[in-house]
Amino acid sequence: MPIYNPPLDDIRFVLNEVLKAGALAREIPDYAEADWDTVGGMLEAVSEFARDVAFPLNQSGDKEQCTYNPADKSVKTPKGFDEAYQQYAALGLIGMSADPAYGGMGMPQYLNVAASEMLTAANFSLSSYPGLTGGAYKALHKFASDDLKDIYLPKMLSGEWSGTMCLTEPQAGSDLGLIRTKAVPQNDGSHAITGSKIFITCGEHDLTRNICHLVLARLPDAPEGVKGISLFVVPKFLPDANGEPGARNPAFCTGIEHKMGINASSTCSMSFEGAKGWLVGEPHKGMKAMFMMMNDARLKVGMQGLGLSEIAWQNAATYASERVQGKALKDFNNPDAKSVAIINHASVRRHLMDMKAQIDGFRALAYDVAIRLDLAAKHPEPTVRRDAEEYAGLMTPILKSCLSDLSCTVAQRGIQLHGGMGFINETGVNQYYRDSIIATIYEGTNDIQAMDFTFRKVLDFNDHMNRLGLFMAPLTEQVEAAKSNPATAEAAKVMEEGIKIFQNTCTAFMQLGMAGKLDEIHAQADHFLNMTGRLAVGSMWLKMVDAANEGLAALPENDGKAAFYRNKLALSDHYFTHIMRPDMKRMELLVAAGAAFLGNISREQQVPGPELGIAKSESKPDNRGHGPFFTF
Ligand SMILES: Cc1cc2nc3c(=O)[nH]c(=O)nc-3n(C[C@H](O)[C@H](O)[C@H](O)COP(=O)(O)OP(=O)(O)OC[C@H]3O[C@@H](n4cnc5c(N)ncnc54)[C@H](O)[C@@H]3O)c2cc1C
């Protein structure tokens, strides 16, 4: 049977000892209540829910899946989901970081991010229902009129109503400029929404009394492309005079997808048949609203990757300590030697350390970015707010992409470490692999993240590289200081080499950019993103080494916690020597090779057409549409 122990010690170490998150309570008046004791209590509450309520439903939910009833266009979630959702809502966790004016608890965002990690690890599918509601809440809170907020927000935060994000259409996925759904103004100030959306997470289910869809659609006078898209709230049931669910709005689920993972999360095709909707924010500014929500939503997807990596790692490490197979190498020729648990084999331990060194490093980076989002939203100093927002914007595509990729790698390696048992459904670990892949696809595929990072965030000549400066200036300072500390001097060398490789790549990309060779940059954008991620995580490991040494120094002799800190020091060494140094060199070579990638070679020569086996698809183009390019 799989296990999940919420990693509270690791989360506390990062938040409290490394990032000093408790200081937010002193710096930000709105977070005065969020002292470390209160935060610790909330983390406990979330972890108990994740371990005791959500996790026991994970395997059964995957097996039972959601079911669709065409007769009434309803969707049934697996057994136990309803009670679990109500319990989560009753604990107030949907509104943990939400505005107290609408029933939220007003706690910092970083707590919500920690909750995302634990809830996704325990039960990814279940986490999607409050997760989508949280996203819709944020969009409404930021952009909707006070009247709309008064109707929708308290009910969403209490868990009575839920939310969705309806962007994708058959012909508009990465390229949302191709959206066709129409919004026609009505005399009563509402709009009639007509169109089809696909892949809508939690578009229909039986957990709440109402579902509030946030829908991207075009007004009649809308300009072409992304500049002509507006945002609307379209409820399943129209709120009556008392704000209770009234008449059925013609916004129907026409079917659900059968998927390789997150099987207990409903993925719906939606048909809006002149459904009543209300404009959220300004006309034609729907994409702007969506992009403003993006740092938050993409960080959440990163946390899904982190949660899955953690649970896959925990199960692999536990299995490796229990599974007895093979003698220790030193006893290979000793006929009397007994077989040992596989964790005693060096290669198994190396795999486990590869996983954990990245999980811990990216956890620190993710929580650092979550705290920056808190600073960006609430700090009294405008310059602190602006810099925090810019920094979070730079790091977010890295977190989304690297963490979702990491979860696939860790979950796949976790299956390998289980041997044949990993391939067997009953063990439960192949679910983490199946579940992990979606995080690399939605909220912008990882290739789209690489484009966003490279072209919008780094090679943004309007920004004059200020954003990059926010990353590089403190990093260079940190590495200088680390060089003179014996505990970090070796790691600092790896960081110095890494910074050089990164700077050379930036210079090469800028030269290519100025020469108009955008394809040459685009072809290597993912390596560039990953290389920056390696550096950013290196910076976090330097901080964690300092915190671990401080922690060790403060412990009484023979204190059991020493093993925790020593493990962090070993993982840090592992990160710098086994992961960062070789990866940076590998990516340096790849980027260098990439500059010559396109050269004079034609597209057909690179990826040949029908004569070499790439056949034309028989399916009609409307099945799952194609956009020519992503419009930022
Ligand atoms: C389970 C699930 C849940 C989802 N939930 C939601 C939801 O709640 N709401 C919602 O609106 N949508 C949702 N989606 C849709 C999801 O966001 C899209 O599938 C995703 O954005 C990719 O779009 P697409 O599928 O059309 O792929 P395409 O855009 O067709 O992309 C196909 C491939 O081409 C690549 N590509 C496309 N454009 C470029 C480019 N310019 N440069 C380089 N490569 C490019 C992509 O990276 C990808 O590899 C969900 C999807 C799934 C499967």
Side-chain angles (χ1 to χ4, degrees), residues 150-353:
D150 288 343
I151 296 171
Y152 289 91
L153 297 189
K155 290 213 160 45
M156 289 169 80
L157 294 182
S158 68
E160 289 168 82
W161 296 4
S162 57
T164 75
M165 305 294 265
C166 301
L167 286 63
T168 307
E169 297 181 6
Q171 76 296 339
S174 302
D175 184 357
L176 292 172
L178 300 176
I179 278 177
R180 287 188 200 137
T181 296
K182 286 195 171 68
V184 179
Q186 305 295 294
N187 291 335
D188 62 359
S190 71
H191 291 76
I193 311 289
T194 304
S196 299
K197 298 280 177 182
I198 59 166
F199 297 156
I200 304 307
T201 303
C202 312
E204 180 61 51
H205 56 79
D206 53 359
L207 303 182
T208 57
R209 292 196 298 137
N210 205 356
I211 302 176
C212 314
H213 304 288
L214 284 188
V215 182
L216 288 182
R218 286 184 185 285
L219 289 163
D221 58 343
E224 291 268 296
V226 282
K227 296 209 164 106
I229 295 173
S230 308
L231 181 64
F232 298 86
V233 58
V234 185
K236 175 177 169 184
F237 293 105
L238 296 169
D240 67 15
N242 301 317
E244 292 301 317
R248 182 73 161 94
N249 206 9
F252 299 112
C253 171
T254 51
I256 58 173
E257 304 290 347
H258 300 284
K259 316 185 287 284
M260 69 181 286
I262 58 164
N263 286 320
S265 166
S266 63
T267 305
C268 305
S269 301
M270 300 295 303
S271 171
F272 295 91
E273 300 168 7
K276 245 183 202 308
W278 287 268
L279 185 68
V280 175
E282 292 175 52
H284 316 314
K285 297 279 167 64
M287 283 305 290
K288 199 170 160 217
M290 281 290 135
F291 277 121
M292 285 183 80
M293 313 304 307
M294 224 153 242
N295 281 344
D296 186 78
R298 290 182 171 173
L299 175 58
K300 271 224 176 106
V301 177
M303 297 319 283
Q304 295 173 345
L306 180 63
L308 283 175
S309 303
E310 172 69 30
I311 192 169
W313 180 82
Q314 284 190 16
N315 281 280
T318 305
Y319 189 79
S321 326
E322 291 167 356
R323 172 70 173 163
V324 173
Q325 203 71 193
K327 294 174 191 171
L329 262 192
K330 69 178 171 47
D331 293 327
F332 204 63
N333 293 321
N334 174 1
D336 299 327
K338 294 210 160 36
S339 295
V340 295
I342 59 172
I343 201 161
N344 293 296
H345 302 312
S347 59
V348 170
R349 283 201 305 282
R350 208 221 67 220
H351 285 309
L352 288 169
M353 285 186 82

Side-chain angles (χ1 to χ4, degrees), residues 340-387:
V340 295
I342 59 172
I343 201 161
N344 293 296
H345 302 312
S347 59
V348 170
R349 283 201 305 282
R350 208 221 67 220
H351 285 309
L352 288 169
M353 285 186 82
D354 282 354
M355 297 161 153
K356 184 72 168 140
Q358 296 186 78
I359 293 170
D360 281 10
F362 273 111
R363 175 178 289 117
L365 184 63
Y367 287 19
D368 181 41
V369 169
I371 290 173
R372 309 266 183 157
L373 288 176
D374 277 319
L375 295 174
K378 302 265 183 182
H379 198 279
E381 282 292 320
T383 49
V384 175
R385 287 204 299 275
R386 188 202 57 211
D387 287 357

Side-chain angles (χ1 to χ4, degrees), residues 216-546:
L216 288 182
R218 286 184 185 285
L219 289 163
D221 58 343
E224 291 268 296
V226 282
K227 296 209 164 106
I229 295 173
S230 308
L231 181 64
F232 298 86
V233 58
V234 185
K236 175 177 169 184
F237 293 105
L238 296 169
D240 67 15
N242 301 317
E244 292 301 317
R248 182 73 161 94
N249 206 9
F252 299 112
C253 171
T254 51
I256 58 173
E257 304 290 347
H258 300 284
K259 316 185 287 284
M260 69 181 286
I262 58 164
N263 286 320
S265 166
S266 63
T267 305
C268 305
S269 301
M270 300 295 303
S271 171
F272 295 91
E273 300 168 7
K276 245 183 202 308
W278 287 268
L279 185 68
V280 175
E282 292 175 52
H284 316 314
K285 297 279 167 64
M287 283 305 290
K288 199 170 160 217
M290 281 290 135
F291 277 121
M292 285 183 80
M293 313 304 307
M294 224 153 242
N295 281 344
D296 186 78
R298 290 182 171 173
L299 175 58
K300 271 224 176 106
V301 177
M303 297 319 283
Q304 295 173 345
L306 180 63
L308 283 175
S309 303
E310 172 69 30
I311 192 169
W313 180 82
Q314 284 190 16
N315 281 280
T318 305
Y319 189 79
S321 326
E322 291 167 356
R323 172 70 173 163
V324 173
Q325 203 71 193
K327 294 174 191 171
L329 262 192
K330 69 178 171 47
D331 293 327
F332 204 63
N333 293 321
N334 174 1
D336 299 327
K338 294 210 160 36
S339 295
V340 295
I342 59 172
I343 201 161
N344 293 296
H345 302 312
S347 59
V348 170
R349 283 201 305 282
R350 208 221 67 220
H351 285 309
L352 288 169
M353 285 186 82
D354 282 354
M355 297 161 153
K356 184 72 168 140
Q358 296 186 78
I359 293 170
D360 281 10
F362 273 111
R363 175 178 289 117
L365 184 63
Y367 287 19
D368 181 41
V369 169
I371 290 173
R372 309 266 183 157
L373 288 176
D374 277 319
L375 295 174
K378 302 265 183 182
H379 198 279
E381 282 292 320
T383 49
V384 175
R385 287 204 299 275
R386 188 202 57 211
D387 287 357
E389 169 111 40
E390 291 288 309
Y391 184 86
L394 185 69
M395 288 296 135
T396 302
I398 293 179
L399 286 170
K400 192 278 180 188
S401 176
C402 293
L403 273 169
S404 57
D405 279 346
L406 181 67
S407 62
C408 298
T409 320
V410 169
Q412 196 263 358
R413 178 53 61 189
I415 293 172
Q416 291 292 324
L417 289 177
H418 280 76
M421 289 308 285
F423 200 67
I424 303 301
N425 287 345
E426 182 194 329
T427 325
V429 295
N430 73 40
Q431 184 185 350
Y432 311 138
Y433 183 63
R434 290 185 288 105
D435 283 357
S436 68
I437 292 169
I438 186 58
T440 66
I441 296 172
Y442 61 15
E443 273 303 330
T445 64
N446 284 358
D447 274 343
I448 296 293
Q449 303 301 319
M451 283 180 74
D452 175 43
F453 175 73
T454 306
F455 290 110
R456 280 184 82 222
K457 302 289 167 57
V458 178
L459 301 180
D460 174 1
F461 293 105
N462 293 330
D463 161 75
H464 303 295
M465 300 300 200
N466 280 342
R467 214 172 280 125
L468 204 55
L470 290 173
F471 171 55
M472 287 308 291
L475 186 71
T476 317
E477 227 172 81
Q478 183 191 23
V479 171
E480 266 316 301
K483 271 163 51 181
S484 52
N485 176 354
T488 46
E490 271 308 302
K493 268 194 218 156
V494 181
M495 288 295 283
E496 262 191 327
E497 289 165 19
I499 288 175
K500 207 172 269 170
I501 292 171
F502 176 74
Q503 284 172 333
N504 288 344
T505 308
C506 285
T507 310
F509 274 16
M510 273 187 284
Q511 285 165 350
L512 286 168
M514 283 187 287
K517 297 187 166 181
L518 298 184
D519 273 358
E520 278 81 346
I521 301 174
H522 189 181
Q524 308 303 323
D526 58 341
H527 299 314
F528 183 51
L529 176 147
N530 286 323
M531 149 188 310
T532 320
R534 286 274 172 261
L535 265 187
V537 167
S539 160
M540 288 296 137
W541 268 118
L542 289 179
K543 288 186 187 180
M544 286 195 278
V545 168
D546 287 345

